[in-house]
């Protein structure tokens, strides 16, 4: 049996196809202004016996496709646990929100925290900062972790962008500013993690996990190693596909 998980995020739609409990293919494309059409294309191209949707826009498929849904919390927990069986904590920095999920020894979610009130510390925040500094995202996340006195005091996207522009005008190098931005994001996420016992293994999922700079700063802030999937952005889609397997049994 083939099951398909579709994670409809604010920036990207991710899909994972599972056959006999094993990931066989995946897809990732921009959400754009017509996410439903993109989802329909994925459904037609990948083909599956059963589909489960998750993510920010999951109700699109529930309403327009009669497709069952699962929360992002359950999907990411299931996906992370599949990739790292000893996983007890998941950090997901997505395009629009940041999630920290804690599980017990059996993989059941026991507590979670989500920052979804604003773009502070999310992928969108990092995109805006990278653009302001003239970086593409890959280069932005590969900046050396300079230990400098530069501080970003605001995590509001609008105010932080203004702050970055002021630092540029003062002659501060963009690499120092980039490092300061990542340090501020890492501190914010670490603060969320430290609000409840973060037991190892800690899995860092979501598109922002591609950033070696952010990963390193998070590990330093937490004093713990982070485990990163080979394709971290499809963790939620994989979890949704596996949830579909379970429901079909």
């Amino acid at each position: 049996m083939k099951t398909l998980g579709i994670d409809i995020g604010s920036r990207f739609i991710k899909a994972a196809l599972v056959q006999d409990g094993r990931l066989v293919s995946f897809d990732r494309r921009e959400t754009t202004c017509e996410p439903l059409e993109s989802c329909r294309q994925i459904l037609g191209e990948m083909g599956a016996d059963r589909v489960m949707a998750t993510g920010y826009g999951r109700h699109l498929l529930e309403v327009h496709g009669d497709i069952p849904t699962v929360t992002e919390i359950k999907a990411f927990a299931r996906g992370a646990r599949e990739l790292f069986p000893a996983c007890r904590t998941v950090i997901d920095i997505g395009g629009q929100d940041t999630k920290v999920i804690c599980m017990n020894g059996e993989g059941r979610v026991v507590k979670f925290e989500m920052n979804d009130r604003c773009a502070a510390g999310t992928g969108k925040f990092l995109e805006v900062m990278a653009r302001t500094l003239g970086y593409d995202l890959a280069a932005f996340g590969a900046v050396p972790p300079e230990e400098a006195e530069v501080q970003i005091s605001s995590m509001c996207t609008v105010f932080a962008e203004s702050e970055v522009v002021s630092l540029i005008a003062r002659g501060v190098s963009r690499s120092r500013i980039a490092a300061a931005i990542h340090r501020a994001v890492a501190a914010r996420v670490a603060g969320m993690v430290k609000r409840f016992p973060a037991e190892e293994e800690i899995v860092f999922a979501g598109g922002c996990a591609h950033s070696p700079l952010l990963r390193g700063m998070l590990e330093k802030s937490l004093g713990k190693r982070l485990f990163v999937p080979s394709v971290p952005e499809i963790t939620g889609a994989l979890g949704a596909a596996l949830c579909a397997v379970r429901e079909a049994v």
Side-chain angles (χ1 to χ4, degrees), residues 15-121:
L17 185 66
V18 168
Q19 183 171 14
D20 300 325
R22 183 174 61 88
L23 177 68
V24 292
S25 65
F26 62 88
D27 194 352
R28 173 181 178 271
R29 59 187 72 183
E30 287 194 38
T31 303
T32 72
C33 60
E34 293 190 0
L36 183 58
E37 180 57 33
S38 295
C39 288
R40 285 170 173 163
Q41 290 175 4
I42 291 171
L43 290 170
E45 293 168 8
M46 300 191 79
D49 302 304
R50 187 173 179 84
V51 182
M52 183 78 76
T54 190
Y56 177 73
R58 63 185 181 276
H59 297 298
L60 272 176
L61 288 180
E62 184 178 44
V63 173
H64 298 285
D66 196 27
I67 289 173
T69 64
V70 62
T71 67
E72 296 168 79
I73 303 302
K74 289 183 179 179
F76 271 88
R78 182 68 183 85
R81 189 81 174 189
E82 177 70 16
L83 296 169
F84 299 93
C87 171
R88 296 287 294 275
T89 304
V90 184
I91 298 171
D92 166 45
I93 304 179
Q96 183 163 292
D97 60 42
T98 299
K99 297 180 284 292
V100 178
I101 307 164
C102 283
M103 294 175 277
N104 61 18
E106 289 70 49
R108 184 181 297 276
V109 175
V110 294
K111 189 171 182 178
F112 71 90
E113 184 162 337
M114 179 183 294
N115 166 34
D116 60 356
R117 299 297 178 87
C118 70

Side-chain angles (χ1 to χ4, degrees), residues 10-11 93-98 118-131 137 140 157 208:
S10 61
R11 291 288 291 109
I93 304 179
Q96 183 163 292
D97 60 42
T98 299
C118 70
T122 65
K124 186 62 177 179
F125 176 85
L126 291 171
E127 282 186 6
V128 172
M129 296 302 107
R131 185 171 62 245
L137 279 176
F140 190 52
T157 305
C208 289

Side-chain angles (χ1 to χ4, degrees), residues 138-205:
F140 190 52
V143 170
E146 299 182 30
E147 294 296 335
E149 72 280 2
V150 179
Q151 297 291 326
I152 301 296
S153 59
S154 176
M155 288 300 289
C156 168
T157 305
V158 175
F159 291 137
E161 185 176 19
S162 177
E163 198 172 343
V164 166
V165 170
S166 295
L167 289 169
I168 293 171
R170 284 163 41 194
V172 179
S173 71
R174 67 175 189 156
S175 61
R176 286 176 63 195
I177 299 171
I181 290 167
H182 283 84
R183 192 176 301 112
V185 172
R188 183 182 181 89
V189 176
M192 292 176 64
V193 176
K194 291 174 182 177
R195 286 174 193 154
F196 43 89
E199 300 191 49
E200 300 184 12
E201 297 177 355
I202 302 176
V203 172
F204 185 15

